[in-house]
Amino acid sequence: MSNQNQVQMVAPLGGGDHAAPNLEQAGHAVPNVEQTGHAPEMQPTVQCDDTVLVNQRSADKVLLVETLADFSSDERLVTVEELLAAFVERAAATPPVTVAQVREELESLPDPRFEGPDSQAVAADMARIKAMEKAQPGSAPDPEVPGLRKTRRLLSRRELLTSLLHPAEALAAPEHAVEQVTESVPASGPEQVAAAPRMVEAAYAAALLGELLAENDEVTVFTAWDGKEYYHYRPQMSSLYARILSTGNNRMVQVASVVRDSSRDYPRPVALEIFEYPPFLFEAEALQQCLRDMAENPEYEDIRFTESSVGTVYLYSTLYLDEDYAAFLAENEDVGAIASP
């Protein structure tokens, strides 16, 4: 800087957007070396939040999480190639973010505690949740209450944005933030950096994803029945629901995995009718054909059925339930729970 008596400081989170006072203009004499015997104290110039950039790597992690959350919100699983490709495209078009922008968005986000779900969404969610929860607790995307996915998304977004304001990790003066955007960007002012196109390397995106898997338990990857790896964001899609979706390309595997998981984990049989509801959406004839194919395949010889006294058909796995116990559980599920006060 040309003025050796000034230094720049990053603005504190609680404010600091006013320039340091000029002592001469305020009517105070500024002592010199001859009068005091030492150099005068340097007066810091505070950098405003609207020019202070958040740490670019941290901002990119937030963007990568939001990209994954978008897939999960749409009830879509995503491979690593699809996820990173979507992130790279999105990151290239996203300019560096200032502290002021983060704060502005935080202030504009509605409080999820008072954000009630839409009445039509409630009715639709309730029908799906009722059907899926009858089969397996936790199998619906948001089994607790209708509209919870929206609330979770707001809470997640608020938490991610707040992490960008951590003074020890997320703030950088504009002169240093230039280097964090990309190595190819020349040393220039923040206005020029914001306008410059980004070149986001695939290796950089993959490194971010690896860090997120280690740091964020809500970013999840699992291996499906066919050996493929899929990613999902748990606040928007439960792990059980994700595994159900991953078997959509093999209907026999899908039915068998749901039945086996229920017999093993709860334990209880699965009402056959639940496969007519989302995310399965079997047509009646297709479901019957699937069961016939499974009966002829030794790989699924453990999948059996039982009926309650009112005629409801349940499926169970002999790997985890014997015939008598499965029949008892089906009767209790279909008739006993209703008869009990």
Side-chain angles (χ1 to χ4, degrees), residues 161-215:
L161 289 174
T162 301
S163 72
L164 294 178
L165 297 179
H166 193 291
E169 298 177 358
L171 296 183
E175 55 199 304
H176 300 305
V178 174
E179 300 172 0
Q180 298 170 16
V181 177
T182 173
E183 294 180 1
S184 63
V185 175
S188 56
E191 296 83 2
Q192 293 172 292
V193 174
R198 291 188 63 193
M199 297 295 294
V200 182
E201 298 292 337
Y204 170 72
L208 289 182
L209 182 57
E211 292 172 17
L212 281 174
L213 287 171
E215 301 166 358

Side-chain angles (χ1 to χ4, degrees), residues 46-54 97-100 172-175 177 190-191:
V46 178
Q47 186 69 43
C48 297
D49 282 354
D50 60 358
T51 59
V52 176
L53 302 178
V54 300
V97 181
T98 67
V99 171
E175 55 199 304
E191 296 83 2

Side-chain angles (χ1 to χ4, degrees), residues 66 80 109 149 164 214 221 234 244 250 264 269 311 328 332:
E66 287 293 323
V80 64
L109 285 177
R149 178 182 296 178
L164 294 178
V221 60
R234 280 201 280 198
I244 291 174
N250 189 317
R264 180 189 65 233
F328 165 78
N332 184 66

Side-chain angles (χ1 to χ4, degrees), residues 5-221:
N5 290 336
Q6 290 185 328
V7 295
Q8 284 195 334
M9 297 175 61
V10 174
L13 296 181
D17 55 344
H18 300 290
N22 186 312
L23 296 182
E24 290 182 331
Q25 292 178 353
H28 300 284
V30 180
N32 55 36
V33 177
E34 289 79 8
Q35 293 172 328
T36 62
H38 56 79
E41 230 178 272
M42 293 190 296
Q43 298 297 323
T45 298
V46 178
Q47 186 69 43
C48 297
D49 282 354
D50 60 358
T51 59
V52 176
L53 302 178
V54 300
N55 179 275
Q56 187 62 53
R57 194 176 190 89
S58 298
D60 283 339
K61 285 183 182 180
V62 170
L63 188 63
L64 181 51
V65 171
E66 287 293 323
T67 303
L68 177 58
D70 286 344
F71 280 101
S72 296
S73 294
D74 292 338
E75 298 187 20
R76 294 171 56 197
L77 295 175
V78 59
T79 64
V80 64
E81 294 82 9
E82 294 169 332
L83 175 59
L84 294 184
F87 164 74
V88 167
E89 180 179 357
R90 193 169 176 177
T94 303
V97 181
T98 67
V99 171
Q101 289 172 321
V102 173
R103 286 179 171 170
E104 182 179 357
E105 182 175 347
L106 279 171
E107 292 172 359
S108 68
L109 285 177
D111 191 327
R113 294 173 299 176
F114 305 105
E115 202 51 28
D118 178 79
S119 59
Q120 292 183 348
V122 170
D125 284 351
M126 282 298 290
R128 176 162 60 170
I129 288 169
K130 181 179 179 181
M132 297 190 68
E133 287 302 288
K134 185 175 181 181
Q136 289 179 283
S139 62
D142 301 308
E144 293 88 347
V145 294
L148 183 57
R149 178 182 296 178
K150 181 178 180 181
T151 298
R152 285 176 174 166
R153 187 67 184 267
L154 286 171
L155 289 172
S156 172
R157 180 66 176 169
R158 186 179 296 276
E159 183 179 349
L160 290 169
L161 289 174
T162 301
S163 72
L164 294 178
L165 297 179
H166 193 291
E169 298 177 358
L171 296 183
E175 55 199 304
H176 300 305
V178 174
E179 300 172 0
Q180 298 170 16
V181 177
T182 173
E183 294 180 1
S184 63
V185 175
S188 56
E191 296 83 2
Q192 293 172 292
V193 174
R198 291 188 63 193
M199 297 295 294
V200 182
E201 298 292 337
Y204 170 72
L208 289 182
L209 182 57
E211 292 172 17
L212 281 174
L213 287 171
E215 301 166 358
N216 192 331
D217 292 338
E218 295 176 337
V219 175
T220 307
V221 60

